[in-house]
Amino acid sequence: IKAFFELKKSKRSRHIPFLASFCVGIPLFYGWYFDALAMGLQASLGGLVILYYQPNAPFRKRMVTMLVSSLGFVLSLGVGLGFSFNPYVSAVVLGFFAMGIHLTTTYFKIKPPGNFFFIMIASMASCQSYAVELIPNKIGFLFLGTMLACFLALCHALLWIKKSPTPETFTTQVKKRKFVSLIDSVVIGICISISLIVGHILEMQNPYWIPISCLAILQGISKQHVWERMIHRIVGTFIGIGICWLILLVCTTPLSICISIFVLQYLVEVLIVKNYALAIIFITPMTILLAEIGSSFTANTEIMVSARFLDITIGSVIGFMGGWLIYNQRFKNEATHHLRKVNIFIRKSRKH
């Protein structure tokens, strides 16, 4: 409860919330102006790659990180769309993809949000209707959104490269035991896969909310942190859904929804580094509006928000169970012991 109201100090650049809002908002406004909201939404999803921008890193590292992350976004969308022909096949593939992404981001020490948005995009794409002829079109608009984000990041880097010299920092790296990253990746992959399968079994309208919520809980850095994130996400979601309901009552046009998303994105980026629970209050309406912007004007608002609360609660519980496994030392020791046995067996087999 205390953590719910605690505001942490942040050294994050004050420009990042503005950059994030423009990267998400500009494609939406273009989509509204040209009466192509679906395409604008796809591009704005790509604009989220700006969250991997590191303003305190050297110029070259900033831009390389942005470009590689952009390619990762495109790959995530391609994997999700390519296997969406069958819900259960896509769930299994998504699990393996989550494993690979977590291993990759851990190996290269990618800073937060780490694996989150890659898996999120793949989850959303895997629940879309399968249409081969539309895949290049969707990937193209996502890529345009990432390129807009890269361009704005380049402008920021050129303007502030002299004014914001890279501070010399000393960090302590916690050396993990062998196989720990692999075990974590397997647990995350299984939880993500199970989450999506549960969503399909329960015939949720948008089952991707469950794995996304599960993944958000799995971002915790300790057993206590995972527990706190689950409680904060459920409580924050409950409050956020109320705010979303009010926004949908007041904002009845596509333009007003686009403006709401722009403002909510700014608030989220300001709060996410200060207080996760408060940020969730605004993340919930923002993500619902982004996902439902094409149908929220005709769908029953009460049914929609109640369905989102159920999805997010189920995902949070599955995420907590996965987080408990990840930070359970006895489970880690047993899994590591068996993996070492397998590794020794493989080495002996190669010699013979």
Side-chain angles (χ1 to χ4, degrees), residues 226-237:
V226 167
W227 169 254
E228 285 182 3
R229 283 177 81 98
M230 185 189 75
I231 299 299
H232 290 172
R233 187 165 182 86
I234 292 174
V235 175
T237 295

Side-chain angles (χ1 to χ4, degrees), residues 6 14 38 49 65 70 80 94 97-98 102 141 159 176 180 184 242 281 311 317-318 322:
E6 181 184 2
R14 291 174 294 177
V49 77
T65 301
S70 298
L94 180 65
F97 180 75
H102 182 73
F141 278 102
L159 288 171
K176 292 185 176 181
V180 167
D184 292 349
I281 292 174
D311 296 345
V317 172
I318 296 174

Side-chain angles (χ1 to χ4, degrees), residues 5-24:
F5 298 99
E6 181 184 2
L7 286 176
K8 301 175 184 176
K9 291 184 179 180
S10 171
K11 296 180 181 179
R12 193 184 193 188
S13 173
R14 291 174 294 177
H15 308 130
I16 297 301
F18 287 105
L19 277 174
S21 297
F22 282 115
C23 289
V24 172

Side-chain angles (χ1 to χ4, degrees), residues 8 176 184 216-231 319-329 332:
K8 301 175 184 176
K176 292 185 176 181
D184 292 349
I217 304 304
L218 289 170
Q219 301 292 303
I221 57 175
S222 67
K223 193 182 293 186
Q224 176 68 21
H225 194 216
V226 167
W227 169 254
E228 285 182 3
R229 283 177 81 98
M230 185 189 75
I231 299 299
F320 171 72
M321 293 168 65
W324 183 84
L325 280 176
I326 288 175
Y327 295 106
N328 185 289
Q329 200 57 48
K332 279 282 182 68

